């Protein structure tokens, strides 16, 4: 019986890792598709509208085939509306960065999210942050300085939007921790996409221009791939701990490098190769320390009960 349970847990862990790896590849593919759509004339507002609207297709299909459409009922529509507002502002910067910078560089800047989450946790939530995680934050920003080469290197607008996008994404992650106490992940994903449609539709109506069929097809692909990537990421978290699956996200840099070379003939600069390990090591260490703290709290609660 014990061996069977161990094998089952191992199978779940392997499936979770596979799903997260696929999620990282899908998000990188979405980034490449965004850049291709932009190269064919698509604007940021158009991209955001298609990203959210057509993500509803795989998300709704997944919910209908799984927990059922009744599961999207919520008593916290206000919280979902706030998450949508924050998420759209964050998405504006993240997608803008993808358009401004090469794929590998924009992906690496997004890896600063755990660093910002640590800072926000200490400043906003007053969470205790020991010297271990502050050292990881310093290490991560050392990597950012190497990558961005202040005064040279990448376009300053791209650097700014990338770091702001990661900061805003970290803010959203803190809100999601609160929403996740009562709402299923699939429900949150659905409402984010659904509530995003009206405001992004306004932006689309104000900026839409005529495009050839290929551009429209690429925009539809952005939404569908983005929705699938979100579902894969969410499914992985249901099967295994954060500390096991989140490190798989960093394989996205490999995919971003590959897609950037195949689609645009661009390889990361030496600065990106030199700085990315600092950023990745910082994020991995922060995730590991957070999981260690969570286990320590759990063990302490058990010991005193």
């Amino acid at each position: 019986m014990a061996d069977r349970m161990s094998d089952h847990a191992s199978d779940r862990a392997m499936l979770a890792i596979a799903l997260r790896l696929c999620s990282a590849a899908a998000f990188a593919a979405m980034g490449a598709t965004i850049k291709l759509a932009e190269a064919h004339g698509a604007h940021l507002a158009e991209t955001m509208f298609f990203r959210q609207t057509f993500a509803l297709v795989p998300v709704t299909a997944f919910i209908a085939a799984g927990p059922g459409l009744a599961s999207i009922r919520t008593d916290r529509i206000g919280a979902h509306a706030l998450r949508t507002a924050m998420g759209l502002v964050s998405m504006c910067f993240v997608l803008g960065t993808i358009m401004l910078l090469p794929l590998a560089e924009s992906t690496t800047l997004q890896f600063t999210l755990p660093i910002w989450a640590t800072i926000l946790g200490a400043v906003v939530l007053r969470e205790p942050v020991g010297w271990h995680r502050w050292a990881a934050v310093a290490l991560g920003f050392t990597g950012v300085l190497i990558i961005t080469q202040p005064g040279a290197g990448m376009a300053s607008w791209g650097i700014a939007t990338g770091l702001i996008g990661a900061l805003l994404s970290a803010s959203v992650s803190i809100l999601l921790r609160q929403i996740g106490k009562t709402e299923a992940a699939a429900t949150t994903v659905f409402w984010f996409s659904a509530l995003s449609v009206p405001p992004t539709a306004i932006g689309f109506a104000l900026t839409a221009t005529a495009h050839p069929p290929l551009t429209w097809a690429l925009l539809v692909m952005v939404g569908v791939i983005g929705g699938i990537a979100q579902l894969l990421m969410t499914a992985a978290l249901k099967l295994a701990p954060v500390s096991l699956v989140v490190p798989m996200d960093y394989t996205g840099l490999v995919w971003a490098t590959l897609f950037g070379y195949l689609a645009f003939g661009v390889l990361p600069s030496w600065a990106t190769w030199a700085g990315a390990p600092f950023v990745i090591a910082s994020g991995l260490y922060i995730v590991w320390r957070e999981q260690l703290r969570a286990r320590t709290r759990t063990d302490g609660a058990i010991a005193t009960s």
Side-chain angles (χ1 to χ4, degrees), residues 132-177:
H132 287 274
R133 286 195 289 167
W134 282 125
V137 168
L139 178 68
F141 278 118
T142 299
V144 170
L145 288 174
I146 294 173
I147 294 167
T148 58
Q149 305 174 73
M154 286 188 284
S156 57
W157 276 112
I159 297 169
T161 57
L163 293 175
I164 293 172
L167 170 60
L168 293 172
S169 295
S171 303
V172 172
S173 71
I174 290 176
L175 177 61
L176 286 175
R177 280 158 56 181

Side-chain angles (χ1 to χ4, degrees), residues 268-292:
S269 67
W270 70 266
T272 300
W273 289 119
F278 288 84
V279 177
I280 292 172
S282 170
L284 289 174
Y285 190 75
I286 287 171
V287 170
W288 178 74
R289 288 293 300 182
E290 183 61 31
Q291 292 301 302
L292 184 63

Side-chain angles (χ1 to χ4, degrees), residues 50-143:
F50 278 82
R51 165 64 179 90
Q52 294 303 87
T53 302
F54 284 90
L56 277 171
V57 176
V59 169
T60 304
F62 172 82
I63 293 174
L69 294 178
S71 65
I72 65 174
R73 293 174 183 166
T74 180
D75 295 323
R76 302 191 63 187
I77 196 66
H80 287 293
L82 177 60
R83 183 264 185 271
T84 299
M86 292 176 63
L88 286 177
V89 176
S90 171
M91 182 178 291
C92 181
F93 283 94
V94 171
L95 299 193
T97 302
I98 293 173
M99 292 179 172
L100 289 169
L101 296 179
L103 278 175
E105 279 74 6
S106 62
T107 300
T108 303
L109 290 178
Q110 191 61 22
F111 288 160
T112 61
L113 192 155
I115 302 172
W116 290 115
T118 299
I119 296 173
L120 289 174
V123 175
V124 178
L125 301 181
R126 304 294 182 183
E127 293 179 345
V129 176
W131 71 267
H132 287 274
R133 286 195 289 167
W134 282 125
V137 168
L139 178 68
F141 278 118
T142 299

Side-chain angles (χ1 to χ4, degrees), residues 183-234:
E183 303 288 87
T187 302
T188 303
V189 172
F190 172 84
W191 282 112
F192 176 43
S193 295
L195 293 175
S196 295
V197 173
T200 57
I202 295 173
F204 173 69
L206 293 174
T207 62
T209 56
H211 296 298
L214 176 60
T215 304
W216 296 119
L218 288 169
L219 287 170
V220 170
M221 287 174 60
V222 167
V224 174
I225 295 172
I228 292 172
Q230 192 78 39
L231 289 172
L232 290 169
M233 182 178 68
T234 301

Side-chain angles (χ1 to χ4, degrees), residues 2-15:
D3 289 342
R4 192 179 305 157
M5 292 179 62
S6 177
D7 290 343
H8 180 63
S10 178
D11 290 343
R12 285 172 60 91
M14 292 304 296
L15 177 58

